[in-house]
Amino acid sequence: MATPMAPRSTFAIFLILLLRSGHSPAAAFYLPGSYPHRYRPGEALAAKVNSLTSPSSKLPFPYYSLPFCEPQGGVNRAAESLGELLLGDRIETSPYRFSMLKNATAFLCRTDPLPPATADLLMSRIDDAYHVNLLLDTLPVVRYVKNLAAPGVFVRSTGFPVGVRADDGEYYVYNHLKLTVLVNKPRNGTTRAEALMATADAVELISFAGGNKDGGGYTVVGFEVVPCSVEHDAAAIKGKKMYDELPARAAAGCDPSVVGMRVRANRPLVFSYEVAFVESGVEWPSRWDAYLEMGGAKVHWFSILNSLVVVAFLAAILLVILLRTVRRDLAQYDEHGGEAGLAPQADELARWKLVAGDVFREPAHPVLLCVMVGDGVRILAMAVATILFAALGFMSPASRGALVTGMLGIYLLLGFAAGYAAVRLWKMVRHGDSAGWKRVAWRASCAFPGAGFAVFTALNCVLWYNGSTGAVPFLLFAVILLLWTFVSVPLTLAGGLVASRVGHLEYPVKTNKIARQVPAAQCSPWVFVAVAGTLPFGTLFIELLFIMSSLWLGRVYYVFGFLLVVMALLVAVCGEVSVVLTYMGLCVEDWRWWWRAFFASGSVAAYTLGYAVYYLVFDLHSLSGPVSAALYVGYSLLMALAVMLATGAVGLAASFAFVYYLFSAVKLD
């Protein structure tokens, strides 16, 4: 009989798996229910197309907005998830069709002569570096180009350019694709992943798509492209129909360094492709490694080490405060018998004890504070849950948009946490009086979602006006509103109702009827609050660079194991910074600590926003057009607001726990 694993060993293995998932994420992707599709020799494969995207313009456009060949049966939209629609993906059928293991060179189509407006649009898309994104068996097409800075090194990127502008100023379109499909055939009929998918007591393995009960067939493990601009031989393509075989000499000029198909008004374009199947040793569970492999693992470890140093430094300060200063002051306070006996020695003893009758006084603008904390708890919980699920592989990149869909669903369900946290804090600042909790819960359900929806709507109108696929359809808008109305709002109110009926937390000291006058400070405490944000930002900024590159430069970010550890360290730093500043304020007899505790850690948002501006100026210098800049600024402001609410909630919670513990040890007559 197997003995149960010790809890400490289980935690260690869990942490190793999380970090391993950050370093090699593909190993965690293939969960039960995610099966490979096997293709028999000669079976049809059909590539799909996604929206045209550009690194310099953040406006995706439909693939068929340009004069490309359409499939014979017409263009059909693929079923898309909520996340795909929000990301601007528009997946459609394409004319690129192959047969498994059958190499071919095929003619696609000859377009009508290009009207001047269409030719100008095509040249504009080439100027803006728009890329074509093909998909085969959910795998994006990959292009390898030589790195000019390092000869012999190839740079991998997804998609390929629509065309190129040559040195002579003429525009050329990539009209011929050399496609390579990498396939794998399991040696023993099944892969290790397929064997793991079978149940423990199964007699035989699960039958996969295609009806291959014998376990035969090939899986697609790679999809590569070399785009070419070829001036086809007029005689070779005369009378050709779609998918007619072309002689090899028809595309003999396919050299990426040579261009031939010029874009001119009133002149047609000719498209063709060739496909070759290559057997690969890459197994199906590892086929995403080429896409998700991220360099700079040492940088991520450095980020974690840097954060650990900051956490240890702040923890040492707190240790000194708690073990030396506080315990010593409490001993002296008890020895002198409270505030009356303390006055003569006020200069010698720490003065935080003098504000015992005011420290739990209701802060200014209590409703706003409660609403912000409630929304912050919701955002923080959503981030932790999403990162945890992604690190464990529940949000596979093969399921496009799964991350955004999961994030939205988790956010809606966490409305209960927002309402509970907001009303719970409301009762505490009101000393047990829950009157007005409905107003607090309602505002918590509307505050951040309302701000986000307002920014999202404004930017979506801009995308609508420009005809971008990034614009969310009106029907999806209605769905989001219905989800907020019938899921988020009721859950937030339910959380508030539960919190209003929970027993009140009794404060360890009584609050005086008359507020104590706060002595004039030599330096504004808000200066320390502004400076305090540098410590949490120092924990976050390295990972923030990778996240920004993923959002705005199209690079892949899937090291969620590292991100989860950094998130935990960020929470620790935010709590420690807030506690230190709260104690410093109490030591100068300033009992107004509530808002300072919130912004001591929440001020990291200002540095995050500043870094976003720096990133726009120095790393996104290729960003073109006011529309792209508006998208960047709008979403950066929304991100900074979310960071402020989440980190502020952590700081206030840590400071409240510290103040409650501190004054619980004070004995008053």
mmCIF file of all heavy atoms in Angstrom, residues 81-104:
data_model
loop_
_atom_site.group_PDB
_atom_site.id
_atom_site.type_symbol
_atom_site.label_atom_id
_atom_site.label_comp_id
_atom_site.label_asym_id
_atom_site.label_seq_id
_atom_site.Cartn_x
_atom_site.Cartn_y
_atom_site.Cartn_z
ATOM 1 N N SER A 81 -14.479 31.724 -30.032
ATOM 2 C CA SER A 81 -14.836 31.893 -28.628
ATOM 3 C C SER A 81 -14.948 33.378 -28.299
ATOM 4 O O SER A 81 -14.584 34.253 -29.095
ATOM 5 C CB SER A 81 -13.781 31.239 -27.732
ATOM 6 O OG SER A 81 -12.539 31.924 -27.852
ATOM 7 N N LEU A 82 -15.436 33.642 -27.094
ATOM 8 C CA LEU A 82 -15.553 35.021 -26.637
ATOM 9 C C LEU A 82 -14.189 35.703 -26.602
ATOM 10 O O LEU A 82 -14.042 36.860 -27.004
ATOM 11 C CB LEU A 82 -16.197 35.038 -25.246
ATOM 12 C CG LEU A 82 -16.382 36.401 -24.578
ATOM 13 C CD1 LEU A 82 -17.313 37.275 -25.393
ATOM 14 C CD2 LEU A 82 -16.907 36.231 -23.164
ATOM 15 N N GLY A 83 -13.175 34.970 -26.144
ATOM 16 C CA GLY A 83 -11.834 35.537 -26.077
ATOM 17 C C GLY A 83 -11.270 35.875 -27.443
ATOM 18 O O GLY A 83 -10.605 36.899 -27.617
ATOM 19 N N GLU A 84 -11.523 35.020 -28.437
ATOM 20 C CA GLU A 84 -11.038 35.293 -29.789
ATOM 21 C C GLU A 84 -11.658 36.572 -30.350
ATOM 22 O O GLU A 84 -10.974 37.386 -30.977
ATOM 23 C CB GLU A 84 -11.351 34.103 -30.693
ATOM 24 C CG GLU A 84 -10.497 32.884 -30.426
ATOM 25 C CD GLU A 84 -10.895 31.703 -31.296
ATOM 26 O OE1 GLU A 84 -12.052 31.265 -31.200
ATOM 27 O OE2 GLU A 84 -10.056 31.223 -32.068
ATOM 28 N N LEU A 85 -12.950 36.748 -30.133
ATOM 29 C CA LEU A 85 -13.616 37.952 -30.628
ATOM 30 C C LEU A 85 -13.079 39.202 -29.945
ATOM 31 O O LEU A 85 -12.882 40.242 -30.589
ATOM 32 C CB LEU A 85 -15.125 37.830 -30.420
ATOM 33 C CG LEU A 85 -15.825 36.747 -31.238
ATOM 34 C CD1 LEU A 85 -17.284 36.622 -30.814
ATOM 35 C CD2 LEU A 85 -15.744 37.059 -32.731
ATOM 36 N N LEU A 86 -12.819 39.112 -28.640
ATOM 37 C CA LEU A 86 -12.288 40.267 -27.926
ATOM 38 C C LEU A 86 -10.867 40.594 -28.360
ATOM 39 O O LEU A 86 -10.453 41.760 -28.320
ATOM 40 C CB LEU A 86 -12.326 40.010 -26.417
ATOM 41 C CG LEU A 86 -13.718 39.951 -25.778
ATOM 42 C CD1 LEU A 86 -13.617 39.549 -24.317
ATOM 43 C CD2 LEU A 86 -14.423 41.293 -25.909
ATOM 44 N N LEU A 87 -10.114 39.587 -28.773
ATOM 45 C CA LEU A 87 -8.745 39.809 -29.232
ATOM 46 C C LEU A 87 -8.669 40.270 -30.680
ATOM 47 O O LEU A 87 -7.586 40.591 -31.167
ATOM 48 C CB LEU A 87 -7.928 38.522 -29.074
ATOM 49 C CG LEU A 87 -7.610 38.106 -27.633
ATOM 50 C CD1 LEU A 87 -6.957 36.736 -27.615
ATOM 51 C CD2 LEU A 87 -6.705 39.128 -26.969
ATOM 52 N N GLY A 88 -9.800 40.290 -31.376
ATOM 53 C CA GLY A 88 -9.793 40.730 -32.769
ATOM 54 C C GLY A 88 -9.532 39.626 -33.759
ATOM 55 O O GLY A 88 -9.297 39.901 -34.943
ATOM 56 N N ASP A 89 -9.556 38.363 -33.341
ATOM 57 C CA ASP A 89 -9.356 37.252 -34.268
ATOM 58 C C ASP A 89 -10.611 37.056 -35.117
ATOM 59 O O ASP A 89 -11.727 37.085 -34.598
ATOM 60 C CB ASP A 89 -9.059 35.959 -33.509
ATOM 61 C CG ASP A 89 -7.683 35.975 -32.866
ATOM 62 O OD1 ASP A 89 -6.883 36.841 -33.237
ATOM 63 O OD2 ASP A 89 -7.421 35.133 -31.991
ATOM 64 N N ARG A 90 -10.417 36.865 -36.404
ATOM 65 C CA ARG A 90 -11.501 36.523 -37.313
ATOM 66 C C ARG A 90 -10.999 35.384 -38.196
ATOM 67 O O ARG A 90 -10.344 35.607 -39.214
ATOM 68 C CB ARG A 90 -11.923 37.734 -38.165
ATOM 69 C CG ARG A 90 -12.486 38.898 -37.391
ATOM 70 C CD ARG A 90 -13.784 38.535 -36.682
ATOM 71 N NE ARG A 90 -14.360 39.691 -36.002
ATOM 72 C CZ ARG A 90 -14.082 40.037 -34.751
ATOM 73 N NH1 ARG A 90 -13.225 39.322 -34.048
ATOM 74 N NH2 ARG A 90 -14.648 41.099 -34.205
ATOM 75 N N ILE A 91 -11.269 34.154 -37.784
ATOM 76 C CA ILE A 91 -10.749 32.983 -38.470
ATOM 77 C C ILE A 91 -11.738 32.567 -39.554
ATOM 78 O O ILE A 91 -12.931 32.372 -39.284
ATOM 79 C CB ILE A 91 -10.506 31.841 -37.473
ATOM 80 C CG1 ILE A 91 -9.502 32.289 -36.408
ATOM 81 C CG2 ILE A 91 -10.010 30.590 -38.183
ATOM 82 C CD1 ILE A 91 -9.274 31.274 -35.313
ATOM 83 N N GLU A 92 -11.229 32.433 -40.782
ATOM 84 C CA GLU A 92 -12.063 32.110 -41.939
ATOM 85 C C GLU A 92 -11.402 31.015 -42.760
ATOM 86 O O GLU A 92 -10.202 30.750 -42.633
ATOM 87 C CB GLU A 92 -12.274 33.370 -42.795
ATOM 88 C CG GLU A 92 -12.966 34.501 -42.043
ATOM 89 C CD GLU A 92 -12.922 35.810 -42.820
ATOM 90 O OE1 GLU A 92 -11.824 36.219 -43.227
ATOM 91 O OE2 GLU A 92 -13.979 36.424 -43.002
ATOM 92 N N THR A 93 -12.195 30.401 -43.608
ATOM 93 C CA THR A 93 -11.650 29.374 -44.493
ATOM 94 C C THR A 93 -10.762 30.015 -45.552
ATOM 95 O O THR A 93 -10.926 31.184 -45.897
ATOM 96 C CB THR A 93 -12.783 28.592 -45.173
ATOM 97 O OG1 THR A 93 -13.659 29.521 -45.830
ATOM 98 C CG2 THR A 93 -13.569 27.790 -44.148
ATOM 99 N N SER A 94 -9.827 29.233 -46.065
ATOM 100 C CA SER A 94 -8.886 29.730 -47.074
ATOM 101 C C SER A 94 -8.858 28.778 -48.263
ATOM 102 O O SER A 94 -9.322 27.639 -48.174
ATOM 103 C CB SER A 94 -7.486 29.857 -46.464
ATOM 104 O OG SER A 94 -6.827 28.601 -46.461
ATOM 105 N N PRO A 95 -8.274 29.205 -49.378
ATOM 106 C CA PRO A 95 -8.183 28.304 -50.543
ATOM 107 C C PRO A 95 -7.022 27.320 -50.453
ATOM 108 O O PRO A 95 -6.874 26.480 -51.350
ATOM 109 C CB PRO A 95 -7.980 29.280 -51.700
ATOM 110 C CG PRO A 95 -7.281 30.446 -51.095
ATOM 111 C CD PRO A 95 -7.821 30.570 -49.694
ATOM 112 N N TYR A 96 -6.202 27.417 -49.402
ATOM 113 C CA TYR A 96 -5.033 26.538 -49.306
ATOM 114 C C TYR A 96 -5.477 25.173 -48.770
ATOM 115 O O TYR A 96 -5.803 25.011 -47.595
ATOM 116 C CB TYR A 96 -3.981 27.158 -48.387
ATOM 117 C CG TYR A 96 -3.425 28.450 -48.931
ATOM 118 C CD1 TYR A 96 -3.911 29.679 -48.492
ATOM 119 C CD2 TYR A 96 -2.435 28.447 -49.914
ATOM 120 C CE1 TYR A 96 -3.413 30.871 -48.999
ATOM 121 C CE2 TYR A 96 -1.934 29.633 -50.432
ATOM 122 C CZ TYR A 96 -2.434 30.837 -49.969
ATOM 123 O OH TYR A 96 -1.946 32.017 -50.487
ATOM 124 N N ARG A 97 -5.470 24.178 -49.665
ATOM 125 C CA ARG A 97 -5.888 22.821 -49.312
ATOM 126 C C ARG A 97 -4.829 21.828 -49.780
ATOM 127 O O ARG A 97 -4.262 21.979 -50.866
ATOM 128 C CB ARG A 97 -7.237 22.487 -49.953
ATOM 129 C CG ARG A 97 -8.368 23.403 -49.489
ATOM 130 C CD ARG A 97 -9.697 23.033 -50.128
ATOM 131 N NE ARG A 97 -10.755 23.945 -49.690
ATOM 132 C CZ ARG A 97 -11.457 23.807 -48.573
ATOM 133 N NH1 ARG A 97 -11.222 22.770 -47.791
ATOM 134 N NH2 ARG A 97 -12.387 24.675 -48.240
ATOM 135 N N PHE A 98 -4.579 20.824 -48.952
ATOM 136 C CA PHE A 98 -3.556 19.827 -49.266
ATOM 137 C C PHE A 98 -4.097 18.436 -48.993
ATOM 138 O O PHE A 98 -5.152 18.265 -48.383
ATOM 139 C CB PHE A 98 -2.281 20.042 -48.416
ATOM 140 C CG PHE A 98 -2.055 21.452 -47.969
ATOM 141 C CD1 PHE A 98 -2.071 21.785 -46.630
ATOM 142 C CD2 PHE A 98 -1.831 22.462 -48.894
ATOM 143 C CE1 PHE A 98 -1.871 23.086 -46.206
ATOM 144 C CE2 PHE A 98 -1.635 23.766 -48.489
ATOM 145 C CZ PHE A 98 -1.656 24.083 -47.140
ATOM 146 N N SER A 99 -3.310 17.444 -49.424
ATOM 147 C CA SER A 99 -3.571 16.041 -49.111
ATOM 148 C C SER A 99 -2.370 15.497 -48.367
ATOM 149 O O SER A 99 -1.214 15.736 -48.779
ATOM 150 C CB SER A 99 -3.813 15.223 -50.395
ATOM 151 O OG SER A 99 -4.970 15.696 -51.063
ATOM 152 N N MET A 100 -2.621 14.799 -47.280
ATOM 153 C CA MET A 100 -1.549 14.327 -46.415
ATOM 154 C C MET A 100 -0.515 13.516 -47.184
ATOM 155 O O MET A 100 -0.863 12.607 -47.955
ATOM 156 C CB MET A 100 -2.149 13.485 -45.288
ATOM 157 C CG MET A 100 -1.125 12.836 -44.360
ATOM 158 S SD MET A 100 -0.026 14.004 -43.543
ATOM 159 C CE MET A 100 -1.117 14.738 -42.330
ATOM 160 N N LEU A 101 0.745 13.911 -47.030
ATOM 161 C CA LEU A 101 1.929 13.269 -47.620
ATOM 162 C C LEU A 101 2.011 13.425 -49.137
ATOM 163 O O LEU A 101 2.843 12.764 -49.769
ATOM 164 C CB LEU A 101 1.982 11.779 -47.256
ATOM 165 C CG LEU A 101 2.049 11.447 -45.758
ATOM 166 C CD1 LEU A 101 2.187 9.946 -45.572
ATOM 167 C CD2 LEU A 101 3.196 12.174 -45.088
ATOM 168 N N LYS A 102 1.194 14.298 -49.715
ATOM 169 C CA LYS A 102 1.238 14.496 -51.155
ATOM 170 C C LYS A 102 1.823 15.874 -51.455
ATOM 171 O O LYS A 102 1.168 16.896 -51.280
ATOM 172 C CB LYS A 102 -0.158 14.377 -51.764
ATOM 173 C CG LYS A 102 -0.163 14.496 -53.289
ATOM 174 C CD LYS A 102 -1.564 14.339 -53.853
ATOM 175 C CE LYS A 102 -1.552 14.470 -55.376
ATOM 176 N NZ LYS A 102 -2.929 14.349 -55.942
ATOM 177 N N ASN A 103 3.073 15.893 -51.907
ATOM 178 C CA ASN A 103 3.705 17.153 -52.285
ATOM 179 C C ASN A 103 3.093 17.650 -53.592
ATOM 180 O O ASN A 103 2.807 16.859 -54.503
ATOM 181 C CB ASN A 103 5.210 16.972 -52.458
ATOM 182 C CG ASN A 103 5.883 16.529 -51.161
ATOM 183 O OD1 ASN A 103 5.314 16.688 -50.081
ATOM 184 N ND2 ASN A 103 7.084 15.985 -51.266
ATOM 185 N N ALA A 104 2.895 18.931 -53.698
ATOM 186 C CA ALA A 104 2.237 19.471 -54.882
ATOM 187 C C ALA A 104 2.608 20.929 -55.070
ATOM 188 O O ALA A 104 3.000 21.633 -54.132
ATOM 189 C CB ALA A 104 0.716 19.341 -54.762
#
